[in-house]
Amino acid sequence: MNTLHNRRILLVDDMPTIHEDFRKILVPPSAAKGALDAAKAALFGDELRPGERPFELDSAYQGQEGLAKVVESLRVDQPYAMAFVDMRMPPGWDGVETVERLWQADPRLQIVICTAYSDTSWEEVLERLDARDRLLILKKPFDNIEVRQLAGALTAKWEMTQQAALQIDSLEEAVEERTRRLTQANEALHAEIAERKHLEGQLIQSEKLASIGQLAAGVAHEINNPIGYIFSNFSTLDGYLADLFAVIAAHEAAAPATADIAALHERVGLDYLKEDVPALMQESREGIVRVRQIVQDLKDFSRVDASQDWQRADLHQGIESTLNIVASEVRYKADVVRDFGQLPEVECLPSQINQVVMNLVVNAAHAMGPARGVITIRTGAEGAMVWFSVEDTGSGIPPEVLPRIFDPFFTTKPVGQGTGLGLSLSYGIVQKHHGRIEVKSELGKGTTFRVSLPMQQATAVA
Ligand SMILES: Nc1ncnc2c1ncn2[C@@H]1O[C@H](COP(=O)(O)OP(=O)(O)OP(=O)(O)O)[C@@H](O)[C@H]1O
Ligand SMILES: [Mg+2]
């Protein structure tokens, strides 16, 4: 049925004559039934006005029967808009109980309680039913017009209530739709903000690298010269010292030392010097070697080795040879697991990519605690990009440290064990390849670095 049009009325009353009266009032013979009927209707004053929709009237003689009709009406989806319910209907339910039951079945039902006298006070009736907006009282003897007006007004109210509910439904749908669109817009905005932040971060990082690069190039140049002559002086000094000690030894062998000389030997601790000087020289040389390595790293970092050629290379081969080089660093700390995909050759500076792999693998090995861990190296291709990742089951990186790991010279390792250049070098190399390096880390669980590179460079620049 059309849910918005409903003129169905149920009369629940134990008196058959009341049913006849209601039928005359609410369902008079229509004009269509002929002039005679119409005249008859006019005589009784019962006719519907032209255009007025007719009522449908159903009868029940007890509350229980009324309930059954309401339930059935719902089953066939033809609910009543309203019911007239008599107050006293022995032997069955009284009006109030009937109304209660009817509303349990269909709360939308508009109801008029009809009575001439009452064994229950109206206040009590209203209190028991607690639904004043759906309940009217009609006192017998009633006027025909009262019945018709009530029927007209309450069926119209039922229709309007339905309409309002439908409108609320569609309003709610509209609100939901709007909310959904707003949520989508919001999500898109968040994604954009995140992307911007990411780009901003990259920009800051590359600016940092550019300025540190300039600085590094200058410093490297300045330091390189002195290191050069310190280094070569060391070899010469080594020789000189050996000669000096040889001369002293010859003197000692040639003639016994005077008391003065013996005292001097004693005072300067010549025997100790003979042992300690070579040790000091060796240690200093190691220090200089280390400084030279740092300067080399700085140079690599600033120029990222301009002399190399771009070439198509097999990434897996590079990874394997790098793993060989770092085998001694990794061997006692972790097992290396390979999970390689299918990769095309990649246009790159192979030795630099190897350097990235090396830094990541060595970092992964260093992140392991006393227990043996796993380093998993994965590779794959995605669209025009290839990627490789190095995952470890190490210490993880604390969130407050994470933003700094690509900074040059940032290290959490003890003095002498890390220069803090590994990741910044790697970052510079990946950037030069127009790729990305990303990191995910969970404290206590491990870290994954993922590097993506374009298979082909738009314009290969050395
Ligand atoms: N896989 C990892 N797990 C935990 N921490 C890491 C990992 N990789 C890097 N880090 C952190 O980032 C810091 C910077 O790393 P980076 O490679 O730049 O320098 P480093 O390893 O300390 O020294 P270098 O590589 O120059 O010898 C490290 O000191 C460490 O704190
Ligand atoms: Mg490192």
Side-chain angles (χ1 to χ4, degrees):
M1 71 173 281
N2 182 342
T3 47
L4 293 184
H5 294 137
N6 187 357
R7 303 279 275 179
R8 283 167 55 73
I9 296 172
L10 177 66
L11 173 61
V12 189
D13 199 308
D14 57 335
M15 303 274 288
T17 51
I18 295 282
H19 287 266
E20 279 161 30
D21 291 347
F22 266 70
R23 198 156 292 281
K24 278 186 206 144
I25 299 167
L26 293 177
V27 201
S30 77
K33 283 188 176 169
L36 187 65
D37 285 345
K40 209 165 100 192
L43 211 66
F44 287 111
D46 291 338
E47 90 279 21
L48 293 171
R49 283 200 213 95
E52 200 172 357
R53 284 174 294 126
F55 295 108
E56 274 177 59
L57 185 65
D58 265 355
S59 292
Y61 296 89
Q62 285 291 298
Q64 288 85 338
E65 188 192 353
L67 176 63
K69 292 221 156 168
V70 167
V71 169
E72 174 61 13
S73 76
L74 292 173
R75 194 186 65 78
V76 297
D77 196 21
Q78 293 204 327
Y80 294 104
M82 68 163 302
F84 288 94
V85 179
D86 188 23
M87 191 64 191
R88 274 169 57 93
M89 296 180 283
W93 299 332
D94 72 351
V96 175
E97 183 164 6
T98 305
V99 171
E100 271 175 329
R101 306 277 187 145
L102 296 187
W103 272 340
Q104 276 164 10
D106 184 0
R108 295 167 301 173
L109 199 62
Q110 307 290 326
I111 290 185
V112 176
I113 285 204
C114 319
T115 182
Y117 48 88
S118 170
D119 9 42
T120 331
S121 82
W122 288 119
E123 273 65 30
E124 212 185 312
V125 170
L126 291 176
E127 200 155 304
R128 272 176 70 189
L129 290 171
D130 190 31
R132 297 156 198 225
D133 61 334
R134 286 168 290 164
L135 184 73
L136 287 175
I137 293 158
L138 180 62
K139 289 198 174 162
K140 292 176 189 171
F142 41 72
D143 211 314
N144 291 3
I145 190 71
E146 280 178 314
V147 171
R148 218 173 40 226
Q149 283 303 104
L150 280 173
L154 289 185
T155 50
K157 185 176 167 214
W158 187 94
E159 291 173 351
M160 283 190 293
T161 311
Q162 282 299 100
Q163 197 156 21
L166 274 183
Q167 275 167 353
I168 286 173
D169 277 355
S170 67
L171 203 66
E172 272 170 5
E173 261 170 38
V175 169
E176 252 169 44
E177 171 64 16
R178 189 72 61 86
T179 312
R180 206 172 49 75
R181 279 206 226 130
L182 274 177
T183 315
Q184 272 176 350
N186 200 20
E187 276 166 7
L189 204 66
H190 273 292
E192 201 179 311
I193 290 172
E195 176 64 14
R196 270 179 197 222
K197 275 199 183 146
H198 178 73
L199 289 177
E200 216 171 273
Q202 273 195 330
L203 200 67
I204 291 172
Q205 191 63 34
S206 60
E207 276 170 5
K208 253 193 232 169
L209 288 178
S211 55
I212 202 85
Q214 277 176 354
L215 186 75
V219 170
H221 183 74
E222 291 298 321
I223 294 179
N224 236 1
N225 269 346
I227 284 182
Y229 57 75
I230 291 174
F231 208 69
S232 76
N233 287 356
F234 260 107
S235 311
T236 322
L237 264 177
D238 249 356
Y240 288 174
L241 284 169
D243 290 350
L244 271 179
F245 283 123
V247 170
I248 293 169
H251 274 293
E252 281 174 342
T258 64
D260 285 353
I261 293 175
L264 188 61
H265 278 198
E266 194 60 34
R267 192 157 53 77
V268 300
L270 188 65
D271 292 339
Y272 175 70
L273 280 189
K274 279 188 212 162
E275 278 172 28
D276 201 33
V277 165
L280 288 181
M281 291 294 285
Q282 178 58 25
E283 209 178 295
S284 305
R285 190 185 285 108
E286 279 169 14
I288 283 299
V289 168
R290 187 157 170 71
V291 171
R292 203 165 59 167
Q293 184 56 47
I294 293 174
V295 170
Q296 185 56 43
D297 283 348
L298 278 175
K299 276 167 78 181
D300 289 349
F301 172 68
S302 57
R303 292 187 296 111
V304 196
D305 203 352
S307 60
Q308 258 217 342
D309 283 336
W310 287 87
Q311 50 183 267
R312 302 196 151 277
D314 177 353
L315 218 58
H316 289 148
Q317 211 169 32
I319 293 173
E320 289 299 350
S321 57
T322 308
L323 284 174
N324 285 338
I325 295 170
V326 297
S328 60
E329 287 269 359
V330 178
R331 191 172 298 132
Y332 301 105
K333 305 208 155 174
D335 296 314
V336 176
V337 173
R338 295 161 179 79
D339 181 4
F340 289 175
Q342 288 281 326
L343 288 191
E345 290 201 323
V346 182
E347 190 177 6
C348 64
L349 300 166
S351 70
Q352 293 192 6
I353 296 301
N354 293 349
Q355 206 178 326
V356 174
V357 175
M358 181 163 86
N359 284 329
L360 297 183
V361 173
V362 169
N363 280 350
H366 285 173
M368 299 302 172
R372 195 173 174 77
V374 180
I375 299 174
T376 310
I377 303 178
R378 299 192 170 83
T379 64
E382 235 172 57
M385 307 286 281
V386 297
W387 59 266
F388 63 89
S389 66
V390 178
E391 180 185 328
D392 66 59
T393 55
S395 60
I397 304 174
E400 68 275 12
V401 165
L402 206 59
R404 305 179 58 198
I405 56 170
F406 293 106
D407 287 355
F409 299 109
F410 175 80
T411 180
T412 56
K413 294 172 188 171
V415 179
Q417 279 194 24
T419 54
L421 280 175
L423 282 179
S424 60
L425 268 170
S426 305
Y427 190 95
I429 291 170
V430 171
Q431 205 180 38
K432 190 168 170 180
H433 283 75
H434 306 104
R436 278 164 84 124
I437 181 165
E438 289 151 318
V439 56
K440 263 195 218 143
S441 190
E442 203 174 331
L443 210 55
K445 292 230 165 127
T447 306
T448 306
F449 282 89
R450 190 182 200 267
V451 174
S452 353
L453 303 168
M455 286 171 194
Q456 234 164 345
Q457 297 295 323
T459 43
V461 250

